[in-house]
Amino acid sequence: MSNQGSNKSLMPWITTVLMVTGIAVLAALYWNKNVTVQDVQVNNLYYTDYEQVKQAADIPLGIKPDSLDLNEVIQRVEKLDYVRSVKPYIEPSGDLRLTVAERQPIALLVNGSDRMYVDAEGVRLPILEGRTQDVPLLYGYSATSRDTIKSEEFAQVRDFLMRAKIDGFGWTTISEVVYDETDGVVALSHENGVKLLFGRNDFQTKLENWKAFYTEVIRTKGIQAMRQVDLRFTNQVVTREI
């Protein structure tokens, strides 16, 4: 008797689950049969125009969502200069929503009169009118090639710049950067163009030392007599003065 009572109590739940499942299947069938893509939506972007994304996506309006190859859409949009990644999503209405992440310049490559941005992955980026960025100048690399920079030297510069950006103080006090085989990462200060030697690796500590040295020495003594500040050693700062 107890088993029969238990089975009877389960029946309404089973019926409800079957009904919900059936409704979901019918909704899916209706969606696949009747819904079409009528619009492409894109999040707000700085470097890339909406029309550029829409044209690259190349979505025939009126196409059924299940006929779209989203991987191909991603590949087409990611060919745009400043597009780093794309996440597509089809709205219940059928509209295609593209969430685009853009590449962010960390330095301006300077080679003679040529200029080009570069991001943290070493991807060279064109300068767009009206969308310039205040980033440090980086010397020693081609500013015309479109190849990605993959050298160990660039990795050192990249790590330094990324840490300087996080640090904030380092980012605002440095104007130019170059990689030297002997001294590693070398920068010039915004103020008076003092040569700063940061060496290789452990840039967080070295940037903290630069901030402490600037706060404790330069602000009181002045920077006019400074020619070089050597921050390559974690436990000391060595200076050369005029």
Side-chain angles (χ1 to χ4, degrees):
M1 293 292 293
S2 60
N3 287 339
Q4 290 178 356
S6 176
N7 290 338
K8 287 181 180 180
S9 64
L10 287 173
M11 288 301 294
W13 290 101
I14 295 173
T15 302
T16 301
V17 170
L18 290 174
M19 288 179 62
V20 170
T21 303
I23 292 171
V25 170
L26 289 173
L29 290 172
Y30 175 84
W31 191 81
N32 288 331
K33 182 178 179 181
N34 296 281
V35 173
T36 60
V37 177
Q38 296 298 326
D39 191 22
V40 177
Q41 302 174 11
V42 182
N43 55 302
N44 290 330
L45 302 173
Y46 182 72
Y47 299 102
T48 314
D49 294 331
Y50 167 75
E51 288 300 329
Q52 288 180 292
V53 176
K54 186 175 180 180
Q55 184 175 354
D58 193 22
I59 306 299
L61 297 185
I63 190 173
K64 294 186 181 301
D66 59 357
S67 298
L68 275 177
D69 188 331
L70 294 179
N71 287 327
E72 287 189 359
V73 173
I74 291 172
Q75 291 174 14
R76 289 196 294 267
V77 176
E78 286 183 349
K79 289 181 180 178
L80 295 173
D81 289 325
Y82 276 86
V83 173
R84 184 174 184 274
S85 64
V86 182
K87 291 183 179 179
Y89 174 75
I90 298 177
E91 302 279 2
S93 63
D95 293 342
L96 176 64
R97 175 157 55 87
L98 299 176
T99 301
V100 177
E102 290 188 294
R103 298 187 178 278
Q104 301 298 323
I106 61 168
L108 179 66
L109 301 177
V110 178
N111 188 356
S113 60
D114 296 321
R115 303 285 189 276
M116 184 175 280
Y117 288 125
V118 65
D119 77 348
E121 295 179 358
V123 176
R124 292 178 172 92
L125 303 164
I127 299 174
L128 304 178
E129 185 177 354
R131 298 173 190 179
T132 56
Q133 290 292 311
D134 184 13
V135 293
L137 307 182
L138 175 57
Y139 294 89
Y141 298 91
S142 171
T144 55
S145 170
R146 300 306 297 271
D147 293 338
T148 300
I149 305 174
K150 299 179 179 180
S151 66
E152 177 59 31
E153 291 80 3
F154 176 77
Q156 288 286 316
V157 173
R158 181 268 318 282
D159 292 348
F160 168 76
L161 289 171
M162 294 299 289
R163 177 49 60 180
K165 194 169 186 178
I166 294 171
D167 174 77
F169 178 82
W171 188 256
T172 58
T173 55
I174 289 167
S175 63
E176 302 178 21
V177 181
V178 69
Y179 186 86
D180 182 82
E181 289 295 333
T182 301
D183 298 326
V185 175
V186 178
L188 291 184
S189 66
H190 265 301
E191 190 179 358
N192 272 50
V194 177
K195 188 176 182 180
L196 309 174
L197 309 183
F198 286 95
R200 300 169 178 82
N201 305 314
D202 197 17
F203 296 121
Q204 179 176 351
T205 300
K206 293 169 182 177
L207 284 162
E208 289 172 354
N209 289 346
W210 163 236
K211 182 177 181 179
F213 179 79
Y214 189 96
T215 302
E216 297 170 13
V217 178
I218 292 180
R219 280 189 177 176
T220 56
K221 186 177 181 180
I223 199 173
Q224 291 76 14
M226 293 286 176
R227 293 182 59 190
Q228 178 176 293
V229 179
D230 193 341
L231 299 143
R232 290 176 294 175
F233 313 103
T234 56
N235 58 352
Q236 65 176 332
V237 176
V238 181
T239 64
R240 289 177 59 190
E241 302 181 25
I242 298 175

